[in-house]
Amino acid sequence: MEKYTDIYHPQYIPGTYSIYTSAILHHKQLQKTSTPKNYAYNRNTPLEDIPDLKSKYGVILLPQPSNSVNDPLNWPPWKKSLQFFILLLITAFTAAIANDASAPQDSINELTGIDYGWLNNSAGVLFVSIAVSVWLYGPLASLCGRRITYVLGLLFALFGSIWYARIRHKGDIFGSQVLIGFAEGSTEAQVQLSMSSIFFKHQLGAVVTIYILATSLGTYLGPLFANIIAENRDFTWVGWSGAIASGICLLMVLFLLEEDYFDYSRFAYHSQNSLLNRSLQTHGIVSNEQDDDFGYHDAPATWKQRYSLLSAWKDRSVQELIKQYAKLLVYNFRCFWFPPVIFGGLIWGFQSAVLSFYLTTQDTDLYGEPFNYSARRIALMNIPCIIGSFIGCIYAGSLTDYFVLWVARKNNGIVESEFRLFFAFLSGIVGSVGLLMFGFGVSRGLDWRVIYVGLAMIAYLFSSAGNLAMLYVIGTYDQLILETLIAVEVINNIIGCIFTFACSPWLERSGTEATYVALAVLNLFFMFLSLPLMVYGKRWRKATKSSYIRMIEARPKG
């Protein structure tokens, strides 16, 4: 196991790991007699009865949980479920307010006189704000804990929504989007980190699938509700509704969402491999005196510790905190050149670009002849998007989980992170067909079913590409989840920003048909980058090993 879990082992490669115990790989009779007992945390289990290598249903638990009652990996199912629900709720909410700003354009234009060009440009400002905020939030997880980022994000959501409700001038639309961008940025990488803190590696596929589905629901339901609210009242109520929802979410985070930061630094050997640690202890080698019981005798955390906004601060001075914060901001750039990160950022960023294109097309082409759609009907076009997103999440999330486990059995229990990329090709083809159906359907005034099915296929691409991007990066750099996902989100939002500003001029110059043909070709190019990664990915991952280790070592310890 050491070469798959010990980052300092000469043969260790990020993204290559063993997931099955030996018993599960042999014939059924041996499996019946030799499968290790399923591990489940129980405070009353004697220390000597806790297995050296913890597994469940023959699957090795990665990361290996400690014996501490405070370890989030040991939390009871009800607590994990509550934590997960709140994280999904704030993910969907921030995605909703980030996508509903330009939905009630007619109402904003009528009441304030702000033209549609300025409203479209505000989406580009939003992308920049998200990219900057994701980067700025990054070091807080190591230095202060995770809850503070969610609280700050919801405060930005609250003030951004109030500012949106009080838009009077062009500067207001940009200012409100900057604040809302900082709200969205709080959930774009930190939530995945929290999820990886309470769920095991073999569960992350399903967990990230539901996360992407929550993001998609917020992305599509936000404009739907915004249009309905604006049609029945006016755009100001879109802002006030967001402010009310922000307050409710903020109260839930403050009083129900526990801190999932846990200090594993005192378990230096355990955190890498329990068998290696036991062997070292046999020879009298331990990282410190607290390692012997692996946290078994830890006292349950107090209410203050569970809900603190600065649980990871420890005894650092403000000056030291600022110094470490600045150091981590700069150091996090070192993972931007990792091939899986570049790939994830490109395919996820292109989906953000596609979102800008079809929303702009809806606003410019479907209100007039031959469609003459109302704002309500435009809003209802998000329904096929929700259906397509659901199918895409199941395909690229849950199905890839089963596929990875199946291939691992054929591969002596060894998983390569590129296994999931087999699913990128179908997503690329389906998404490109959807782009062509939507583009030609709008340009030629085809039956509404063509346009709606095209939208569903585009949304399928949006969700499946997001799943594959995140799961590939998380599966490769499991000890740098936050840092690598920050890089993915920065690349994603920069691409989204560039395409947002290029969107309207491109459509005007090339026309709807030619633009969507180009988008379909670009989509195939980005999704089919999976092929060189499947061929050379392991070699490239091995080349990033030294940088990966240095980044892990650079983070604050305890």
Side-chain angles (χ1 to χ4, degrees):
M1 278 293 293
E2 289 87 347
K3 71 177 181 179
Y4 299 119
T5 56
D6 182 5
I7 61 175
Y8 298 105
H9 193 282
Q11 297 181 39
Y12 174 82
I13 300 175
T16 299
Y17 58 93
S18 177
I19 197 168
Y20 281 126
T21 60
S22 59
I24 207 75
L25 301 172
H26 293 78
H27 57 77
K28 292 182 179 179
Q29 185 61 38
L30 180 61
Q31 182 179 326
K32 289 179 181 178
T33 58
S34 304
T35 300
K37 183 179 179 181
N38 291 330
Y39 171 78
Y41 179 79
N42 187 331
R43 188 84 171 106
N44 298 319
T45 301
L47 182 60
E48 60 272 13
D49 291 345
I50 297 176
D52 290 347
L53 186 65
K54 297 161 184 172
S55 63
K56 198 162 190 174
Y57 306 118
V59 176
I60 298 170
L61 298 181
L62 297 173
Q64 286 280 286
S66 69
N67 298 329
S68 173
V69 66
N70 301 317
D71 189 341
L73 293 170
N74 290 328
W75 283 354
W78 70 265
K79 184 183 288 191
K80 290 188 177 186
S81 299
L82 177 62
Q83 197 90 349
F84 189 36
F85 172 76
I86 297 174
L87 291 172
L88 293 177
L89 183 65
I90 61 176
T91 296
F93 168 68
T94 55
I97 62 171
N99 286 279
D100 67 8
S102 59
Q105 288 190 4
D106 288 339
S107 178
I108 296 175
N109 177 260
E110 181 182 346
L111 295 178
T112 67
I114 300 174
D115 62 53
Y116 298 105
W118 284 94
L119 294 171
N120 288 332
N121 289 337
S122 70
V125 174
L126 175 72
F127 279 119
V128 173
S129 178
I130 295 172
V132 172
S133 64
V134 167
W135 175 59
L136 292 177
Y137 284 134
L140 293 180
S142 298
L143 299 174
C144 301
R146 286 77 185 267
R147 292 182 78 246
I148 189 171
T149 301
Y150 304 134
V151 170
L152 287 174
L154 290 171
L155 286 173
F156 280 120
L158 176 63
F159 294 121
S161 296
I162 293 173
W163 196 346
Y164 182 86
R166 299 178 64 82
I167 289 175
R168 298 293 181 271
H169 308 287
K170 294 173 182 178
D172 294 331
I173 190 72
F174 289 117
S176 65
Q177 292 309 289
V178 168
L179 296 187
I180 288 174
F182 270 74
E184 169 72 356
S186 68
T187 60
E188 289 228 341
Q190 300 277 353
V191 166
Q192 297 94 308
L193 178 65
S194 289
M195 290 175 176
S196 68
S197 298
I198 61 179
F199 294 104
F200 296 104
K201 196 167 188 174
H202 69 278
Q203 299 170 321
L204 283 180
V207 168
V208 171
T209 294
I210 300 172
Y211 164 81
I212 293 291
L213 184 58
T215 301
S216 301
L217 287 174
T219 299
Y220 300 123
L221 287 178
L224 173 62
F225 291 143
N227 267 313
I228 293 173
I229 292 170
E231 190 173 20
N232 292 329
R233 290 182 177 269
D234 56 55
F235 82 90
T236 61
W237 280 97
V238 175
W240 293 124
S241 299
I244 293 169
S246 300
I248 294 171
C249 288
L250 182 59
L251 290 175
M252 292 182 69
V253 168
L254 286 173
F255 296 104
L256 293 177
L257 187 74
E258 292 193 28
E259 175 59 64
D260 55 74
Y261 170 84
F262 184 72
D263 183 10
Y264 291 96
S265 63
R266 60 192 174 107
F267 308 131
Y269 298 116
H270 283 101
S271 61
Q272 298 301 324
N273 186 279
S274 59
L275 292 178
L276 172 63
N277 181 77
R278 190 59 59 92
S279 173
L280 290 167
Q281 284 193 25
T282 302
H283 295 86
I285 303 172
V286 294
S287 61
N288 61 39
E289 68 280 0
Q290 292 178 300
D291 256 357
D292 291 325
D293 63 11
F294 201 14
Y296 181 81
H297 295 103
D298 285 359
T302 63
W303 189 92
K304 182 179 179 181
Q305 290 171 328
R306 289 159 53 200
Y307 293 98
S308 171
L309 293 180
L310 300 170
S311 59
W313 185 303
K314 303 300 181 184
D315 297 321
R316 300 183 184 97
S317 65
V318 174
Q319 184 178 3
E320 181 184 1
L321 193 72
I322 294 173
K323 183 179 179 181
Q324 289 185 322
Y325 178 86
K327 178 182 176 182
L328 288 175
L329 277 181
V330 175
Y331 209 81
N332 284 348
F333 279 114
R334 295 204 172 194
C335 64
F336 274 72
W337 69 275
F338 293 175
V341 169
I342 296 173
F343 172 74
L346 286 175
I347 66 169
W348 194 217
F350 185 71
Q351 306 320 309
S352 298
V354 167
L355 183 67
S356 295
F357 272 88
Y358 81 72
L359 288 176
T360 300
T361 302
Q362 286 179 352
D363 291 338
T364 55
D365 293 353
L366 295 183
Y367 283 106
E369 296 289 345
F371 300 100
N372 295 316
Y373 281 6
S374 65
R376 181 180 291 269
R377 188 162 184 185
I378 292 288
L380 291 176
M381 293 179 74
N382 288 290
I383 293 177
C385 293
I386 293 171
I387 296 171
S389 288
F390 180 79
I391 298 172
C393 284
I394 296 299
Y395 169 76
S398 299
L399 282 182
T400 60
D401 275 352
Y402 287 112
F403 178 76
V404 166
L405 292 174
W406 177 76
V407 176
R409 290 193 187 203
K410 310 292 183 182
N411 196 38
N412 294 319
I414 307 304
V415 174
E416 304 289 352
S417 57
E418 285 79 20
F419 286 170
R420 294 186 187 272
L421 298 185
F422 282 99
F423 285 67
F425 304 110
L426 180 60
S427 292
I429 293 170
V430 171
S432 291
V433 171
L435 285 165
L436 294 175
M437 289 178 67
F438 179 76
F440 279 77
V442 172
S443 176
R444 301 188 181 187
L446 300 180
D447 185 82
W448 64 271
R449 296 175 184 84
V450 176
I451 297 173
Y452 279 42
V453 171
L455 278 177
M457 295 170 79
I458 293 171
Y460 163 90
L461 169 67
F462 179 87
S463 296
S464 59
N467 260 291
L468 292 172
M470 291 189 185
L471 290 173
Y472 182 38
V473 172
I474 290 173
T476 302
Y477 303 109
D478 60 342
Q479 294 190 51
L480 283 182
I481 288 176
L482 180 63
E483 291 85 349
T484 51
L485 286 182
I486 286 172
V488 168
E489 293 297 348
V490 170
I491 296 171
N492 160 22
N493 286 287
I494 288 174
I495 292 174
C497 175
I498 293 171
F499 275 91
T500 295
F501 285 114
C503 181
S504 293
W506 190 350
L507 284 166
E508 290 173 5
R509 178 169 296 183
S510 300
T512 302
E513 279 190 23
T515 298
Y516 278 87
V517 168
L519 291 175
V521 172
L522 282 172
N523 177 62
L524 284 176
F525 169 76
F526 286 127
M527 296 303 290
F528 275 64
L529 285 176
S530 301
L531 187 58
L533 282 164
M534 290 168 65
V535 176
Y536 302 106
K538 188 170 183 177
R539 186 182 308 174
W540 292 341
R541 285 188 280 117
K542 186 176 181 180
T544 65
K545 175 183 174 179
S546 58
S547 296
Y548 177 54
I549 294 173
R550 285 198 299 272
M551 287 191 68
I552 294 172
E553 293 173 338
R555 288 188 306 198
K557 302 296 191 296

